[in-house]
Amino acid sequence: MKKIALFYGSDTGVTDDITKDFTSLWGSEELDVREIGDVCKEDFNDFDIFIFGLSTWYDGDLQSDWEAFFDDFQEIDFTDKIVAIYGLGDQIGYGEYFIDGVGILAKVVIENGGKVIGHWPYKGYRFTDSVAVIEDKEGYFYGLAIDHDNESQLTDERLEKWISQLKLELAPYLNDNKVTV
């Protein structure tokens, strides 16, 4: 059976709340949930599938615990690993950096041999630029974009749809004995 981990970081508690909502909606599948500040590089060897959660701060900065772990993160071998990422950002106040953290992490995962799933359409968002936009897949972010500051009324619906999407995308990997990317 594939082992799934959700690693997240939260400075103000909002990403923590979204993560609790995520785990509640995720259901019965086993999910090892940890704050990224409590994780070491070797912990990535224990899982086949990852879900990362983070916020983007100011001018495209990673959440502080992800930022502190980033040097180690860049050294992780993601070969045969599947990763999905959700990110929080402010598309109005920081529209030129909206959910950049999602793109920063996704690009490292891909460069280090992993597969990123859970791409999310950016239609309907009002941002000006984002590192999280997939360059070779028109109209998509690398992961779920949550703007809890300006569109909190859409958070639950987006999270539910994304979880359903993830479960569909993960089904072939969960029903197989080997993760193949």
Side-chain angles (χ1 to χ4, degrees):
M1 182 168 178
K2 304 294 185 282
K3 292 176 70 175
I4 305 173
L6 190 162
F7 294 165
Y8 75 99
S10 186
D11 285 327
T12 64
V14 178
T15 307
D16 186 52
D17 290 342
I18 298 298
T19 300
K20 288 176 185 169
D21 292 344
F22 181 97
T23 58
S24 169
L25 293 167
W26 184 254
S28 61
E29 292 92 351
E30 192 167 320
L31 192 63
D32 189 327
V33 180
R34 301 182 195 179
E35 289 189 42
I36 196 66
D38 297 331
V39 170
C40 67
K41 191 167 61 170
E42 291 73 26
D43 291 332
F44 285 77
N45 298 325
D46 298 335
F47 301 96
D48 306 297
I49 299 166
F50 295 93
I51 301 161
F52 299 146
L54 76 159
S55 54
T56 300
W57 286 89
Y58 311 114
D59 297 339
D61 297 331
L62 293 172
Q63 181 271 339
S64 62
D65 294 322
W66 277 103
E67 184 70 34
F69 185 70
F70 193 65
D71 286 342
D72 284 341
F73 184 78
Q74 293 178 87
E75 297 175 359
I76 295 169
D77 181 3
F78 283 99
T79 302
D80 294 331
K81 306 284 186 181
I82 307 297
V83 177
I85 309 168
Y86 61 93
L88 284 73
D90 178 347
Q91 64 188 313
I92 307 302
Y94 296 94
E96 65 275 21
Y97 307 104
F98 185 55
I99 69 160
D100 275 2
V102 169
I104 293 168
L105 296 185
K107 289 177 181 183
V108 170
V109 168
I110 293 165
E111 287 171 11
N112 293 358
K115 178 179 176 97
V116 176
I117 65 166
H119 300 164
W120 188 255
Y122 61 66
K123 183 179 180 182
Y125 291 91
R126 298 168 288 163
F127 67 101
T128 54
D129 198 17
S130 177
V131 174
V133 170
I134 304 172
E135 293 176 19
D136 59 352
K137 186 175 181 182
E138 180 71 28
Y140 284 87
F141 292 119
Y142 282 106
L144 176 62
I146 298 173
D147 184 345
H148 205 65
D149 292 332
N150 301 296
E151 298 178 336
S152 60
Q153 74 281 5
L154 299 175
T155 298
D156 291 341
E157 177 186 345
R158 286 175 173 162
L159 201 53
E160 288 172 15
K161 284 182 180 178
W162 193 63
I163 288 171
S164 294
Q165 175 185 331
L166 286 184
K167 288 186 175 192
L168 286 172
E169 290 183 50
L170 285 172
Y173 304 106
L174 294 173
N175 296 324
D176 189 6
N177 289 330
K178 184 176 189 294
V179 174
T180 306
V181 294

